[in-house]
Amino acid sequence: HAQAERFAAQARSPLPVLVMGWLMRVVSEPTAVALSSGIFFVLSVPLIFLIGHRLAGRSAGLLGSAAYAISPAGLWYGVTGMTESASIFSLSAIIYLLMGEITWGGCALAGVAAGVGYLGRFTFKIWAPLIVGFIIWRAWRKGPLRAIGMAALFVTPLIAAMLWFGASMERATGEFGYFGQEDISIRRDTGLYPGRSSSLALESWSAREFVMTHKAIMVRKYGRIAEVAWPAVVKMGAMPFLVCFFLVEMFLVLVGARRGQIHWLIYALLGLQLLLVPLVSFGHGGVGENRYLDVLGPLGAALGAAFAVELLRGKHAATRRATLVLIAIVALTSIPTLFDVAVGPYHSDELSH
């Protein structure tokens, strides 16, 4: 079972397996697991600050990065060894590098970030067409060939990562690009494998094959999501206050308000994730029904913080004093997370009996 679980993890997201393997040469196994995600958490906090700072100055950067740093998407995911922190880092790097003027260097570095992100979460290959379209749209005025060249420069590192993974899986399974994620995710919480983890059943289903074969199960999942999961979308961890500003700003943009062009890329990525959620699991082993939206929460908080600061400036409010009030509100929303970090181990089932 342990060997099957290790292979399943590598077949779904090789990045944490690789990082843990390297770290275990110098630190203990629990520390290596925590650092495999904690490294990306530490690196992503300044990226969230830089995004907010570029949008609306230092106050927005501090507010957005603080909200992320003390949220479940930050503190909790940052020590779990799961892939959310790496995904947040890679996606934040892409967004920051593509803000403002599109450059050759920015596209190349964004492609490297996408390649790293892909090895942690294969969703990056689904996000890639949106990002490519955004690059072409923004760079088109410089000439069609230049725009297409920049887009090609972005996808090159991503394709290299995909080819490396495909070759690695061929050596392990005999099948190029063997992919254990789709069938494992879709089959979880469907009742197909009572009494044991579906992750240990190494079958191969495409998304279309599974949906067409198990129509009734998918209908029940849609109903369960409509009843429980969708209302959690606006929470996105412990950052509800700033995310609400982001949602208000998104509404204004959609009805015609003029905002920065980078917003459209984030809105498109969020919309795509909402479409993908029914094909992933509800609950996902107790992690939480909004796990597949948490990676966009910090970006929503950064944009929400910038919008809040802009509103305050427009009303000629004392920005510094208002920022302190906003930080206090964000801190209050994060009390449950901070409490779990401090005393969570003492409330585990094992110790409570």
Side-chain angles (χ1 to χ4, degrees):
H1 281 186
Q3 185 177 1
E5 287 178 343
R6 284 195 299 270
F7 174 76
Q10 186 175 359
R12 290 178 289 162
S13 49
L15 181 64
V17 178
L18 292 172
V19 176
M20 288 177 200
W22 294 331
L23 290 171
M24 284 179 189
R25 299 174 182 177
V26 293
V27 297
S28 65
E29 182 175 337
T31 303
V33 171
L35 286 177
S36 68
S37 54
I39 290 171
F40 293 104
F41 163 58
V42 171
L43 292 174
S44 59
V45 171
L47 278 173
I48 297 298
F49 169 82
L50 291 172
I51 291 171
H53 184 272
R54 180 172 286 188
L55 288 169
R58 184 175 59 183
S59 297
L62 289 172
L63 188 58
S65 58
Y68 166 58
I70 56 178
S71 71
L75 285 172
W76 192 81
Y77 281 131
V79 296
T80 57
M82 295 195 298
T83 64
E84 273 64 29
S85 296
S87 299
I88 290 168
F89 164 75
S90 298
L91 191 56
S92 299
I94 292 170
I95 294 299
Y96 179 71
L97 290 164
L98 298 182
M99 294 175 74
E101 192 74 14
I102 298 290
T103 66
W104 290 99
C107 290
L109 290 175
V112 172
V116 173
Y118 166 80
L119 296 178
R121 181 184 290 262
F122 294 150
T123 316
F124 273 84
K125 71 177 181 182
I126 303 175
W127 290 342
L130 293 178
I131 301 172
V132 167
F134 179 79
I135 291 172
I136 293 175
W137 171 51
R138 291 289 308 282
W140 192 261
R141 61 184 177 82
K142 298 181 179 180
L145 291 179
R146 187 182 181 91
I148 293 172
M150 286 182 167
L153 189 60
F154 166 78
V155 300
T156 298
L158 177 60
I159 292 174
M162 294 172 66
L163 291 175
W164 175 85
F165 172 77
S168 299
M169 288 296 98
E170 184 174 30
R171 289 193 297 270
T173 68
E175 178 183 342
F176 183 85
Y178 175 86
F179 183 39
Q181 181 66 41
E182 288 154 331
D183 60 292
I184 290 173
S185 294
I186 296 171
R187 291 185 289 105
R188 193 182 294 272
D189 298 327
T190 56
L192 290 180
Y193 299 90
R196 65 189 179 99
S197 171
S198 60
S199 298
L200 301 179
L202 295 177
E203 301 174 355
S204 180
W205 294 78
S206 70
R208 184 179 183 278
E209 288 172 339
F210 187 89
V211 171
M212 297 305 295
T213 304
H214 301 287
K215 299 182 182 68
I217 286 175
M218 292 307 297
V219 169
R220 288 198 298 270
K221 288 194 70 174
Y222 271 100
R224 203 161 41 187
I225 289 168
E227 180 182 6
V228 180
W230 291 130
V233 168
V234 297
K235 296 179 183 178
M236 292 188 178
M239 300 177 288
F241 187 71
L242 293 181
V243 171
C244 285
F245 276 100
F246 163 69
L247 294 174
V248 170
E249 182 186 34
M250 183 170 66
F251 167 76
L252 292 175
V253 173
L254 293 176
V255 298
R258 299 183 64 181
R259 304 293 294 160
Q261 292 172 317
I262 192 68
H263 292 61
W264 286 109
L265 176 57
I266 297 176
Y267 300 159
L269 292 171
L270 176 60
L272 181 58
Q273 280 301 93
L274 291 174
L275 291 175
L276 292 176
V277 164
L279 284 178
V280 297
S281 66
F282 167 75
H284 201 83
V287 173
E289 64 270 15
N290 59 335
R291 177 186 176 191
Y292 292 90
L293 295 168
D294 279 339
V295 294
L296 292 166
L299 289 171
L303 269 66
F307 185 52
V309 170
E310 289 177 359
L311 288 178
L312 291 169
R313 289 172 179 164
K315 296 297 182 181
H316 305 289
T319 306
R320 182 174 298 181
R321 188 190 314 166
T323 302
L324 292 175
V325 175
L326 291 173
I327 288 176
I329 293 173
V330 170
L332 286 173
T333 65
S334 302
I335 284 177
T337 306
L338 297 173
F339 183 82
D340 285 344
V341 169
V343 301
Y346 299 100
H347 291 263
S348 66
D349 291 337
E350 291 82 0
L351 294 177
S352 62
H353 292 303

